[in-house]
Amino acid sequence: MTEAALYVVATPIGNLADMVPRAIEVLQTVDVIAAEDTRHSSRLLSHFDINTPLLAYHDHSDDRRTRMLLERLQAGQSVALISDAGTPLISDPGYRLVQDVRQAGIRVVPIPGACALIAALSASGLPSDRFTFEGFLPAKSGQRSNRLHTLQAEPRTMIFYEAPHRIEASLADMAQAFGEDRPAVLAREVTKTFETIVGGSLAELVAFVSADSNQRRGEMVVLVEGAQRDSSALDAEAERVMTILLGDLSVKQASALAAEITGVKKKLLYQWALQQD
Ligand code: SAM
């Protein structure tokens, strides 16, 4: 018998061979599987000979559905949560359920596996030491541009999910917000027959998807390199502290003190001070 817990189970993002053995075992042995779309998931489950009862769960499910799952868990049953593809909760339902289950003091067990953003990042060639996942951008052009402009100075690699019918417009808005030369990668149909992972400047990617309608099909992730740090720029707080201190102290003293206060490197503060007036 599988221990009573909520199992958050990743499923493949295209290639069924990416289903991990532990996911199959858990799905075969839990009491019930909560799925984003039961019809969609029943195909995957029958492929792996999983006959566990299925019920629908999405973030708009009413409280009764969440309560019913909680009651089952409290009664000692085991529940697995799956989404249509990849890792649940990653631009997919489950956040509310996981939060409620944890609040009720019941164990939540992750069964890791495929996730489109991580697969795309791992093959993108863009800096992967620090990154930010932005999920889906707003569908409306004005809101999308506003969101992108707030990310202009983001130094980490940015990862976006995008729908095929919006890819051209989104890439064009990114080129406008981040500059046409900003390096980016389009990762399309990852793990599937027409997998395409192509890198270039944002202007090149716009031209690439505009020229070939096949590049506007399927599922896609866009990754954009972060903004280069301008060595002559400081963040607003460091600038504020330096400006105050320079009113009374030498450049050397102000830089040393500001480094202690803000955590910014003394050398950077010193160079910034020399570049003023
Ligand atoms: N939970 C999923 C995960 O772990 O990646 C994501 C679900 S979200 C509703 C679906 C979006 O993920 C797609 O629109 C696309 O942006 C991205 N995606 C999913 N599968 C993909 C694939 N095989 N190749 C590229 N992007 C994919």
Side-chain angles (χ1 to χ4, degrees):
M1 202 185 88
T2 306
E3 186 197 337
L6 174 67
Y7 295 85
V8 183
V9 182
T11 58
I13 55 169
N15 190 330
L16 288 183
D18 291 335
M19 185 80 167
V20 302
R22 190 163 164 240
I24 300 172
E25 189 191 316
V26 165
L27 293 174
Q28 274 169 342
T29 52
V30 287
D31 294 296
V32 65
I33 299 172
E36 179 182 6
D37 177 341
T38 50
R39 270 227 326 249
H40 178 98
S41 291
S42 57
R43 287 192 288 274
L44 173 87
L45 299 178
S46 69
H47 179 88
F48 289 104
D49 207 16
I50 296 164
N51 301 305
T52 308
L54 259 182
L55 55 82
Y57 177 83
H58 40 81
D59 281 338
H60 309 295
S61 292
D62 59 21
D63 288 344
R64 269 178 315 178
R65 180 53 50 100
T66 312
R67 264 207 315 278
M68 188 263 274
L69 287 169
L70 262 175
E71 278 163 16
R72 279 175 169 243
L73 286 159
Q74 276 158 341
Q77 291 197 4
S78 51
V79 176
L81 173 70
I82 58 173
S83 62
D84 286 355
T87 303
L89 280 83
I90 306 301
S91 293
D92 265 342
Y95 166 67
R96 265 189 50 207
L97 181 64
V98 168
Q99 195 180 40
D100 288 353
V101 170
R102 287 184 62 85
Q103 259 164 19
I106 296 164
R107 213 172 146 209
V108 179
V109 181
I111 310 291
C115 179
L117 78 102
I118 297 297
L121 178 65
S122 70
S124 70
L126 294 177
S128 55
D129 51 344
R130 298 182 70 213
F131 60 89
T132 156
F133 174 53
E134 295 296 322
F136 286 96
L137 285 164
K140 290 204 175 112
S141 172
Q143 289 171 5
R144 184 166 60 229
S145 286
N146 287 344
R147 173 79 57 82
L148 289 169
H149 277 90
T150 66
L151 292 168
Q152 257 174 347
E154 171 58 62
R156 297 168 291 186
T157 296
M158 293 167 279
I159 308 177
F160 304 89
Y161 282 169
E162 194 45 283
H165 60 282
R166 278 198 286 270
I167 189 65
E168 215 176 338
S170 279
L171 284 171
D173 285 349
M174 288 177 190
Q176 216 260 325
F178 303 139
E180 297 200 326
D181 296 334
R182 183 77 76 91
V185 168
L186 174 65
R188 207 174 56 80
E189 295 289 87
V190 174
T191 77
K192 304 189 208 178
T193 311
F194 296 108
E195 179 179 276
T196 311
I197 301 177
V198 55
S201 68
L202 279 168
E204 285 166 343
L205 288 186
V206 172
F208 177 69
V209 300
S210 305
D212 179 0
S213 62
N214 284 327
Q215 304 305 329
R216 283 174 260 142
R217 289 184 213 279
E219 298 196 279
M220 44 197 76
V221 182
V222 180
L223 306 97
V224 182
E225 191 166 309
Q228 294 296 323
R229 273 209 186 278
D230 177 356
S231 64
S232 64
L234 288 184
D235 66 38
E237 178 60 5
E239 249 188 56
R240 195 182 69 82
V241 171
M242 277 299 280
T243 307
I244 296 170
L245 295 178
L246 283 170
D248 288 313
L249 302 173
S250 70
V251 168
K252 199 170 162 207
Q253 288 168 322
S255 314
L257 203 51
E260 270 186 50
I261 296 169
T262 63
V264 175
K265 284 208 169 71
K266 193 165 73 184
K267 195 169 156 203
L268 197 65
L269 295 160
Y270 189 87
Q271 280 165 352
W272 178 84
L274 295 183
Q275 282 161 12
Q276 302 313 296
D277 61 56

